Amino acid sequence: MSNLINVPKNGSLTSTNSNLNFPNLSSWLDDMFNRDLPAVLTSNFNRGITLPKVNIKETADSYIVEMAVPGLSKSDFHINIDNQVLSISTETNETNEEKQENYIRREFGYSSFKRTFTLPESVNDDKINASYKDGVLNIFLPKKDEAKQKPARTIKIS
């Protein structure tokens, strides 16, 4: 919010203007747009899935993508690879209907997300697999044989 004051040309901060108690248009707009909306108005706006957090680990022979997405089932996910781009998405629709005497209430919700990752050329995309357990989606991205890290070895001097 802006706290700027209009200074008259004579440089004085005191004013004899009788409208001092009324906010000017600029401060009124600042107050209006910077004020928090009541929870009643915003409570249903953020009910869907937010962008899930992702961990990516690299081992000697693979990459592992871990995504925290609790409350879903395996069938909710769409995992695709196109031109070395891994995309993970989901869409869920929820409908609740409550019937009582002379009263019907129906609520529905929709949520979705999509995360994409460019895969390194070292990934063997024919052997990618995924699992979902305890709210965590794991995608196993094995490396091609030529990209796997070889164990350290000792070289003898002749």
Side-chain angles (χ1 to χ4, degrees), residues 14-50:
T14 60
S15 173
T16 57
N17 188 347
S18 64
N19 290 332
L20 267 180
N21 294 332
F22 297 104
N24 63 24
L25 181 61
S26 176
S27 67
W28 182 78
L29 287 174
D30 281 345
D31 286 345
M32 182 66 115
F33 287 109
N34 290 321
R35 184 175 298 146
D36 288 334
L37 292 174
V40 172
L41 297 177
T42 60
S43 63
N44 289 327
F45 293 139
N46 194 17
R47 284 203 141 183
I49 297 173
T50 58

Side-chain angles (χ1 to χ4, degrees), residues 15-149:
S15 173
T16 57
N17 188 347
S18 64
N19 290 332
L20 267 180
N21 294 332
F22 297 104
N24 63 24
L25 181 61
S26 176
S27 67
W28 182 78
L29 287 174
D30 281 345
D31 286 345
M32 182 66 115
F33 287 109
N34 290 321
R35 184 175 298 146
D36 288 334
L37 292 174
V40 172
L41 297 177
T42 60
S43 63
N44 289 327
F45 293 139
N46 194 17
R47 284 203 141 183
I49 297 173
T50 58
L51 203 56
K53 303 290 185 186
V54 173
N55 296 330
I56 300 175
K57 297 190 289 189
E58 181 178 8
T59 65
D61 46 337
S62 67
Y63 297 95
I64 301 166
V65 177
E66 301 171 324
M67 182 179 290
V69 280
L72 299 175
S73 64
K74 293 177 188 179
S75 61
D76 291 332
F77 294 101
H78 307 283
I79 303 172
N80 299 310
I81 294 185
D82 185 23
N83 202 20
Q84 291 299 107
V85 175
L86 172 70
S87 73
I88 306 163
S89 62
T90 186
E91 291 184 32
T92 58
N93 293 313
E94 182 181 315
T95 303
N96 295 324
E97 190 170 335
E98 182 179 305
K99 292 184 181 182
Q100 294 178 357
E101 187 178 319
N102 296 332
Y103 179 74
I104 297 176
R105 182 177 80 184
R106 186 172 196 172
E107 295 181 1
F108 59 93
Y110 173 83
S111 59
S112 68
F113 75 82
K114 183 174 186 177
R115 297 283 314 252
T116 59
F117 304 93
T118 301
L119 298 178
E121 300 226 1
S122 61
V123 170
N124 184 351
D125 59 0
D126 292 331
K127 295 187 178 179
I128 295 174
N129 64 52
S131 65
Y132 181 68
K133 183 178 179 185
D134 297 331
V136 178
L137 177 67
N138 288 295
I139 302 173
F140 178 72
L141 306 161
K143 293 180 180 178
K144 295 177 182 174
D145 287 337
E146 60 271 11
K148 290 181 181 177
Q149 213 173 34

Side-chain angles (χ1 to χ4, degrees), residues 153-158:
R153 63 185 178 103
T154 304
I155 299 172
K156 293 185 179 183
I157 301 172
S158 56

